[in-house]
Structures are given as C-alpha cells and as structure tokens.
Amino acid sequence: MSRLRLLDGVSAHRTACVAHQPTRDEKSSQDEKSWRNEKSARNEIRRASLPLDRSDHSCRQARQWAGAALADWSHPAGDEIVDDVLLVMSELVTNAVLHACGPIRVHLERRPDGTVHLAVDDGGPAASSRPHDLAGEYGRGLDVIAALAADHGRTTALPCPYRARSWATLTGGDR
C-alpha cells in the first residue's frame, strides 16, 4: 500500500474499493425511486426557448430542437404527442419564415397535466409575403394546426423586436 499525505500532516493509507452489489430488495427500492423521480419530473413545468435565423433551415432546426427537448422531458420519439408537436412546430415556423419579418424565437412548455404548449414569436406581418395558393401546396398550415391542437391563436409578443406570437396547445388526446 502507498501512503498519501493529507494537508494537516496526517497520513492515510490508500485502500482498495470493493463495489457493493445491491441485493434484490435494494434493486427494487432503486427501481421504485427511479420511477418516482420520473413521475416527479413529469409533474414539473418544463420550458425552453430557442432563437432562430430567418432561413430555409429554421424549420428543420426547430423540429430537431423540439424533439430533443421532449425526449429530455421523458416523451419518447414516436409518442403521438411528439409527432403532433413537431408537425405543429413546423407549420408555425414555416408561417413565420414565409409571412413575417424580423427575428424568430420558438418556445416549448410541458405542463404537469401532460399538455404541451408551443409558441413562435416573430416581428409581425411582412410588407409582402408569398401569395396564398389554396389549390397548390401552400395555404393549409392553419388547418393542420387546428386539426391537431386543442387550442391555437395569435397574440402580441414582447419584448421588441418580437411583435407577434403564434401559439398552439396540444394534449395527448386531441385527435
């Protein structure tokens, strides 16, 4: 064994560590604590925000960020609410990129009752935006949001440079 010198001049012996193997009862107790911690984490309000550039990549970046946040908050990929949140996030960010001016900021909030609230702040309506083509590929985003969300709308956003906020609230049983 080697000797270690401590600050007060007291010496100590280095000893080998032996790993403790948990018994069946201890494992059960650990599993229960883990389940309680996960349950407790689901009962907390979780919030996150992300500023975005107005670019063609903003939509993909917002989806990836939202998916990672939801996974971190114990919503596994493939969970119905995750798919719905990602689609609604895509629609709201696309609308901000195409029809608004100024910077974009996205928000995500998971509430204790399991609902997920998302919002997209922008600089307000642009002087000119892409024309609506109802017969084409565009113009159905708000219909998609209305079909998936328990509630949605548009309000004022603060602080400057953000002027408008589009938002939606989703629950697991909205469809």
Side-chain angles (χ1 to χ4, degrees):
M1 276 189 228
S2 65
R3 287 181 122 13
L4 297 176
R5 193 96 176 137
L6 299 179
L7 291 176
D8 292 338
V10 178
S11 61
H13 290 286
R14 186 180 294 175
T15 58
C17 278
V18 177
H20 172 71
Q21 298 294 323
T23 65
R24 182 178 293 177
D25 290 338
E26 289 172 330
K27 283 183 184 179
S28 176
S29 176
Q30 288 172 352
D31 290 344
E32 186 176 326
K33 285 178 187 175
S34 174
W35 177 81
R36 282 186 187 153
N37 288 340
E38 184 177 319
K39 185 177 178 184
S40 173
R42 284 188 171 264
N43 289 331
E44 297 174 4
I45 293 178
R46 296 305 220 40
R47 292 184 180 104
S49 297
L50 175 73
L52 294 171
D53 295 328
R54 291 179 43 82
S55 72
D56 294 339
H57 305 291
S58 297
C59 199
R60 182 179 70 233
Q61 186 179 0
R63 272 193 319 269
Q64 290 172 341
W65 169 80
L70 290 170
D72 188 46
W73 298 342
S74 301
H75 287 282
D79 189 358
E80 183 178 319
I81 197 166
V82 172
D83 294 339
D84 292 350
V85 166
L86 298 182
L87 181 54
V88 171
M89 179 69 77
S90 294
E91 294 297 339
L92 292 177
V93 171
T94 298
N95 285 347
V97 169
L98 294 177
H99 305 295
C101 62
I104 299 169
R105 179 178 57 195
V106 296
H107 307 274
L108 194 59
E109 177 181 279
R110 198 227 29 236
R111 297 174 178 167
D113 63 0
T115 61
V116 177
H117 181 80
L118 53 139
V120 177
D121 297 341
D122 58 52
S128 64
S129 63
R130 178 178 277 165
H132 294 273
D133 180 11
L134 297 178
E137 296 179 31
Y138 301 99
R140 294 186 288 272
L142 291 178
D143 292 335
V144 169
I145 293 168
L148 296 176
D151 198 11
H152 69 98
R154 190 158 170 89
T155 59
T156 302
L158 294 173
C160 209
Y162 304 105
R163 294 185 358 210
R165 172 175 283 184
S166 298
W167 58 270
T169 302
L170 289 86
T171 63
D174 285 340
R175 286 196 224 181

